Amino acid sequence: MRIKGFQGTSLLDFPGRIASLVFFGGCNLTCPYCHNPTLVLDPDQYPDYPLAALLEELRERRSFIDGVVVSGGEPTLDPELPLLLREVKSLGLQVKLDTNGLAPKVLERLMAEGLLDYVALDVKTAPARYGKLHTGPVKIDALPASARLLIEGKVEYELRTTCVPGFVEEADIRAIGETVRGARRWVLQQFVPGHSLAEELREVEAHSEEVLRGFAGVAGGYVDEVVLRGL
Ligand code: SF4
């Protein structure tokens, strides 16, 4: 199992809950603004975190945490992810999955098995522009399929867009909106340039608050609730 990191307690990553964080190595995108570049580009520089030790940590914490956030990298790439989630659920803990949504069949299986309590689905730009997020080919129909699973399903979720200049402009918000029409919650996050995977993005100026509020107004025409984060 490609677990590369563990953080005992966080109040931030699982809305309304106290959680431990588990990080998987590897990703099927190389987003230029990724904030975990080493986990994505060179995950093998970190040793795998042993499952037994992780479960022991969670067992010791379960009286004061509500759940576990599974993040990365991209956790759905690991064929052993369901095994971990079954163990976490058997401890009576909730699970939040952070995913880029490019593996809708995995998402569907995890939802069907009742292994997810909350999903944060990244919607990075207009689906037709996903090719800009990777050096290899990207299946552009995968993200809309994952979004529909959540919109039509029963698991609590949020869609999440980091508003990176050049990747997220008003036309992209409209194109994403058409894809996720009817969703419950769409979070628009401010872009923080430092630590970006691509050097040229580290100096880029983030969109102003006024621009993000304009995006929120547009997004509100497609979904029930828009949340601005990081302003
Ligand atoms: S999908 Fe997430 S983890 Fe993967 S490269 Fe993009 S931002 Fe980084």
Side-chain angles (χ1 to χ4, degrees):
M1 201 175 293
R2 288 167 66 81
I3 294 170
K4 300 294 181 181
F6 174 75
Q7 185 182 321
T9 312
S10 168
L11 270 170
L12 297 175
D13 291 75
F14 200 157
R17 282 151 272 204
I18 299 170
S20 291
L21 313 183
V22 174
F23 298 95
F24 278 77
C27 191
N28 45 3
L29 290 179
T30 40
C31 304
Y33 53 86
C34 180
H35 274 191
N36 288 327
T38 51
L39 260 189
V40 167
L41 298 176
D42 188 16
D44 292 334
Q45 72 174 269
Y46 305 104
D48 288 348
Y49 202 102
L51 179 61
L54 174 71
L55 294 174
E56 192 48 43
E57 294 262 16
L58 294 176
R59 216 169 272 122
E60 284 169 12
R61 286 179 157 76
R62 66 179 160 176
S63 60
F64 62 89
I65 61 172
D66 304 301
V68 175
V69 176
V70 179
S71 191
E74 178 49 47
T76 60
L77 295 179
D78 193 318
E80 295 188 292
L81 176 64
L83 189 114
L84 169 68
L85 301 191
R86 281 181 210 119
E87 295 283 358
V88 170
K89 297 294 281 181
S90 75
L91 293 174
L93 294 168
Q94 296 184 31
V95 172
K96 171 177 176 256
L97 173 69
D98 289 343
T99 179
N100 63 24
L102 295 186
K105 288 203 161 60
V106 176
L107 181 63
E108 189 171 24
R109 279 200 295 275
L110 297 176
M111 289 170 73
E113 209 185 315
L115 294 175
L116 302 177
D117 298 284
Y118 196 101
V119 177
L121 174 68
D122 281 341
V123 185
K124 294 171 182 300
T125 183
R129 300 184 66 208
Y130 260 60
K132 287 192 167 303
L133 300 170
H134 199 33
T135 43
V138 180
K139 284 189 195 155
I140 58 170
D141 53 346
L143 184 274
S146 288
R148 285 332 304 173
L149 281 170
L150 292 175
I151 292 166
E152 289 161 15
K154 292 190 166 38
V155 175
E156 204 184 342
Y157 69 91
E158 67 184 38
L159 309 176
R160 225 169 34 178
T161 301
T162 303
C163 297
V164 185
F167 290 88
V168 178
E169 302 293 342
E170 187 175 322
D172 303 302
I173 294 286
R174 291 188 191 283
I176 296 169
E178 292 299 337
T179 304
V180 305
R181 192 182 280 283
R184 269 170 260 164
R185 185 177 306 122
W186 186 1
V187 179
L188 301 180
Q189 300 188 145
Q190 180 58 292
F191 166 55
V192 180
H195 311 297
S196 292
L197 182 148
E199 217 175 312
E200 63 272 19
L201 269 186
R202 293 178 203 155
E203 304 300 322
V204 163
E205 196 175 332
H207 284 307
S208 67
E209 179 171 343
E210 188 186 357
V211 167
L212 285 200
R213 291 200 184 281
F215 288 173
V218 174
Y222 297 96
V223 301
D224 295 345
E225 182 192 11
V226 178
V227 176
L228 283 173
R229 197 174 277 163
L231 286 181

